[in-house]
Amino acid sequence: MKIYDTVYLAALNLYRRWVRSLLTVVGVVIGTCSIILMVSIGLTNLAQFDKMLESAEFTQIQVVGPNYGSEGRSSIKLDDAAIKALGNLDHVNKVVPTKNLLMYGEIGNYYANYLNVMAVPAGELPYMVELKEGRYPSENSSMPEVIIGMGVARQFIQDESDYQDREYQGPSIDWLNSTIDLYYGDKDILDNSDVPSSRRYKARVVGIIKDEDDKNPSYAIYMDLDKGKNILQNNYKLAKALNQQINTYELVYVYASTMDKVRDLIELIKDYGFEAYSQTEWIEGLLKQQRSQQGQLAAIGLISLVVSAIGIANTMMTGVLERRREIGIMKVIGFSLEKIRFLFLVEAAMIGFLGGMAGMLFSHLFAYILSTKAEETIFLGMYFSAGIKMIIPIWLDLTAIGVSIIVGIIAGILPANRATKMSPLDAIKA
Amino acid sequence: MDSKKLEPIIVVRNLTKIYRTRKIPLKALTSVDLDIMPGEFVAIVGTSGSGKSTLLSLLAGLEPPSTGRIIIKGRSIHRMSEKQLVGFRLKHIGFVFQSFNLFDMLTAQENVALPLMAQGVGRQERMERAKQLLTLFGLEKHLHHKPRELSGGQQQRVSIARAIIGNPDILFADEPTGNLDSKNADQITDILRDISIKNGTTILMVTHDMEKAAKADRIICIEDGRIVDREEKGL
Ligand SMILES: Nc1ncnc2c1ncn2[C@@H]1O[C@H](COP(=O)(O)OP(=O)(O)OP(=O)(O)O)[C@@H](O)[C@H]1O
Ligand SMILES: [Mg+2]
């Protein structure tokens, strides 16, 4: 008996009871779909983490001075000596000290209170911020140069009431190459005659920071660290009044050589008496949680596949019992037990194959539908930072089809064996 | 008859079949002895329940005897495994049923070709041979019809074609005319007789009808599971 004969007979039998066959196939489709989609969602979820883990953020440790609770160790300062010590630690790539300056800004008739200016070594800025236009601040400019995010524009107002307006966009000027008058401190302290007033710094906007997305414009302002330090030194009395130290850093970034060194480095830095944080712990916890989530999803897929296997077994068994007479005739005609068994196995495998194929097509359809969103999404307990972009690799398609064929065959074993046990007598005594 | 000088193709000795499926065991066949010569056309007659079908199914190896021996072409049927029996039937035995037992999903031609499919003959060749046989039986216009599109007589001719397409040595027919009107029944009996003469196929045909039985070389009469009367007919 040729293979194509068996396939032909099996197909005819499926076609003869096509409603039942179809319903059984639908069961397999659901099983295959859930497996493909569950694995795909899992893969998508993991791929996104891979991407996140590649970014420098995850080798970054944020170090701040000893917290106020631990006054006993206040002799430790996050100053230039500490920066040097941190830089000498093993597995440290780079140490970037920063200072935060509270400033008051004016441009034309507009003013902005509470501007938060980050002073960072100019050479590091290209690694930390991406520009939409313009260039990065230079260390050697005579007047301070800043780069700003477009969110900053909205902080410049003419009247307090402007803040009430949700749609307020700030002065409509060309920000690039504009000049902002900056004063160290805030409006209250500048108006206070007991403290010497800040000098005026004409800061030139040389670059615009790229927004993360349209809805979240950056509110950051960066300048070179030395320029920032100069401002503080020039206004040291004001700094004292504002309770800001001149020679220590508020925030220092320590970059580990690799992500797996982060945890140890944090411990080491904490031993010095500083506070240290990183995103790594968060991401590790998240990863662990996502993995267990994926295990659960895979279980859902497997369960639906088991259910579809039971569906196949049930359909096949019904078919065998219904066709006992036919099986008897086949035996009388001279079809061997192996051929009869094989015929039923092929029939079951075909259900699996058809279900697998259709399931694959539906999965791609669902993947297409699910993938259209681009916002932050939580789906089935998993976190997606930029929408679900479903990946269904070829190997997943092929594996799913293979698995559904195998499930069909396994589900067919019992009914097929049953078929071989049908008595040929049923053919004649009826 | 020359064939009588040959060894019998079927030898049955002391064949007994007891069914124990009910409370009281039922003796369907009791000590049957039988010799059938190659090419013989034998009619088996007897009342309903006398054991005719049981005899055929034992001879075809569809169920095992309780005691006794069945030797066909020198081989002991009663000792064969089911696997061996299937192969043996495929090679040497054709079976025609009262209720035709055609596959209703397959066309007449495909039904006839089925035993060749089981033998592993390619589709083209077996369909050609099926076509020839059906043409011989006057069914060339119905090659592609499904069984339910055929009359009873036509269906039985298809089923006979299926039984003989593999050129079996022996053809068993269990009341092949039982579901047919007398005209069709006569035709079928004539076809069987033809096969016996032209192909030299040994035929055992069960029938209720003495008129049909009269067309056979020999009539075996069964009553209550015993062979009671053997009527030899001259040439
Ligand atoms: N599988 C079986 N189990 C139990 N008893 C059976 C079985 N097959 C046949 N019998 C019994 O054996 C006896 C002979 O049956 P068999 O079918 O051989 O009769 P038959 O001569 O073919 O009758 P008919 O002319 O009605 O076809 C009957 O009494 C029947 O009830
Ligand atoms: Mg009978």
Side-chain angles (χ1 to χ4, degrees), chain A residues 2 5 8 325 339 427 429, chain B residues 19 99 101 110 118 120 126:
Chain A
K2 304 266 196 291
D5 290 329
Y8 176 64
R325 187 179 174 83
K339 280 169 194 151
K429 304 207 171 165
Chain B
Y19 288 115
S99 48
N101 281 339
E110 285 170 332
R126 63 173 195 253

Side-chain angles (χ1 to χ4, degrees), chain A residues 35-223:
Chain A
I35 287 251
I36 292 184
L37 289 179
M38 295 301 145
V39 174
S40 164
I41 290 170
L43 286 174
T44 312
N45 184 246
L46 279 186
Q48 147 199 283
F49 281 112
D50 280 351
K51 215 163 163 189
M52 284 167 93
L53 293 181
E54 274 169 23
S55 72
E57 249 177 274
F58 294 103
T59 57
Q60 185 192 68
I61 302 166
Q62 299 179 17
V63 182
V64 297
N67 61 19
Y68 300 109
S70 54
E71 282 300 333
R73 291 150 110 187
S74 60
S75 59
I76 293 153
K77 285 184 179 150
L78 204 44
D79 54 11
D80 283 322
I83 298 299
K84 209 171 164 196
L86 288 173
N88 287 336
L89 290 176
D90 285 342
H91 310 298
V92 169
N93 256 8
K94 194 159 68 179
V95 180
V96 180
T98 70
K99 283 208 73 77
N100 257 342
L101 281 77
L102 177 66
M103 300 196 94
Y104 175 81
E106 280 177 355
I107 186 162
N109 301 328
Y110 293 80
Y111 69 94
N113 208 355
Y114 305 117
L115 290 175
N116 186 19
V117 179
M118 286 270 282
V120 177
E124 299 298 340
L125 276 172
Y127 303 106
M128 297 173 64
V129 245
E130 206 179 333
L131 289 186
K132 186 163 69 183
E133 50 186 331
R135 60 171 173 84
Y136 291 96
S138 142
E139 297 171 21
N140 317 315
S141 59
S142 53
M143 64 193 274
E145 294 182 334
V146 293
I147 51 177
I148 62 170
M150 280 322 286
V152 173
R154 281 149 68 167
Q155 289 180 275
F156 281 85
I157 53 171
Q158 279 178 310
D159 189 279
E160 287 289 337
S161 65
D162 287 338
Y163 281 139
Q164 312 298 322
D165 182 3
R166 282 172 166 274
E167 299 299 314
Y168 183 69
Q169 290 300 331
S172 51
I173 53 166
D174 188 2
W175 285 92
L176 190 61
N177 295 321
S178 63
T179 304
I180 306 174
D181 291 335
L182 288 177
Y183 302 87
Y184 176 53
D186 60 12
K187 197 166 168 46
D188 285 345
I189 206 135
L190 291 172
D191 289 346
N192 187 340
S193 49
D194 293 345
V195 246
S197 202
S198 163
R199 286 167 54 177
R200 183 179 67 176
Y201 298 93
K202 287 192 156 302
R204 202 173 142 80
V205 178
V206 296
I208 306 294
I209 296 168
K210 192 171 177 182
D211 298 329
E212 220 156 87
D213 57 67
D214 291 346
K215 292 204 183 89
N216 298 306
S218 165
Y219 283 88
I221 307 176
Y222 291 95
M223 68 164 62

Side-chain angles (χ1 to χ4, degrees), chain B residues 130-142:
Chain B
K131 187 179 164 187
Q132 282 169 15
L133 208 49
L134 283 169
T135 308
L136 200 68
F137 287 175
L139 289 170
E140 64 275 7
K141 289 206 185 95
H142 304 285

Side-chain angles (χ1 to χ4, degrees), chain A residues 411-427:
Chain A
I413 288 177
L414 215 69
N417 282 340
R418 183 67 196 270
T420 63
K421 296 202 177 78
M422 290 285 151
S423 163
L425 284 176
D426 284 326

Side-chain angles (χ1 to χ4, degrees), chain B residues 49-169:
Chain B
S50 56
K52 306 179 295 292
S53 295
T54 303
L55 179 61
L56 280 201
S57 66
L58 288 175
L59 291 181
L62 303 184
E63 52 187 328
S66 302
T67 56
R69 289 178 293 151
I70 304 165
I71 295 145
I72 299 181
K73 297 199 70 153
R75 301 185 51 194
S76 302
I77 296 298
H78 56 279
R79 287 209 196 121
M80 285 188 189
S81 67
E82 180 157 16
K83 196 175 165 174
Q84 289 171 312
L85 281 168
V86 168
F88 187 81
R89 279 199 292 269
L90 185 58
K91 260 195 190 155
H92 303 292
I93 289 175
F95 219 110
V96 178
F97 310 89
Q98 176 175 355
S99 48
F100 322 135
N101 281 339
L102 297 170
F103 288 81
D104 49 8
M105 284 302 289
L106 301 176
T107 64
Q109 196 179 13
E110 285 170 332
N111 263 293
V112 173
L114 219 47
L116 297 183
M117 181 196 270
Q119 283 176 20
V121 177
R123 182 174 170 88
Q124 188 137 27
E125 188 193 335
R126 63 173 195 253
M127 292 302 265
E128 183 55 38
R129 279 168 67 182
K131 187 179 164 187
Q132 282 169 15
L133 208 49
L134 283 169
T135 308
L136 200 68
F137 287 175
L139 289 170
E140 64 275 7
K141 289 206 185 95
H142 304 285
L143 295 180
H144 305 300
H145 288 169
K146 299 277 168 66
R148 77 170 71 88
E149 296 159 351
L150 299 171
S151 75
Q154 288 168 333
Q155 286 189 54
Q156 194 59 302
R157 275 181 277 166
V158 172
S159 117
I160 292 172
R162 180 178 69 184
I164 65 167
I165 194 163
N167 291 319
D169 304 296

